[in-house]
Amino acid sequence: VKSARRAKREGRADPQVGRKPCDLCERSVDLLVRCRVDETREWRMACGKCWRAVSGGVPDGDAQHPHYQYGGLWRNRAARASPRVND
């Protein structure tokens, strides 16, 4: 347990640590969008791919997605930022 916490703190942990599944497709990701997507008005956590489908790619939704409501972001703080490549 102690060595796992040390590895996480030092950035040597398994990349899957801290990821959560998308409520819609079950894929584990580092970034989820909290949103309402249907008439049940329950909050769901959607990955980026599913978010585009349920919101129409617009933060406030559109006429084709009347039940969509944005509710914030969840980010995996354990995820290491990918290095930027200078173009």
Side-chain angles (χ1 to χ4, degrees):
V1 174
K2 198 172 186 179
S3 62
R5 285 193 311 235
R6 182 180 302 122
K8 182 178 174 183
R9 186 175 58 243
E10 294 174 353
R12 297 181 291 112
D14 179 18
Q16 296 296 321
V17 169
R19 287 183 161 206
K20 287 187 179 180
C22 169
D23 288 341
L24 305 173
C25 71
E26 298 298 321
R27 197 170 56 135
S28 290
V29 294
D30 291 325
L31 179 79
L32 292 167
V33 179
R34 181 177 179 246
C35 55
R36 291 180 172 147
V37 298
D38 55 22
E39 59 276 348
T40 64
R41 311 250 323 134
E42 291 182 13
W43 290 107
R44 311 275 184 186
M45 300 301 278
C47 66
K49 194 173 192 178
C50 292
W51 175 80
R52 283 183 203 86
V54 299
S55 71
V58 183
D60 293 325
D62 57 15
Q64 284 97 20
H65 304 89
H67 300 292
Y68 176 78
Q69 182 181 2
Y70 175 79
L73 291 176
W74 172 84
R75 290 190 179 134
N76 179 3
R77 292 181 174 209
R80 285 183 271 158
S82 58
R84 293 188 176 207
V85 177
N86 293 333
D87 291 319

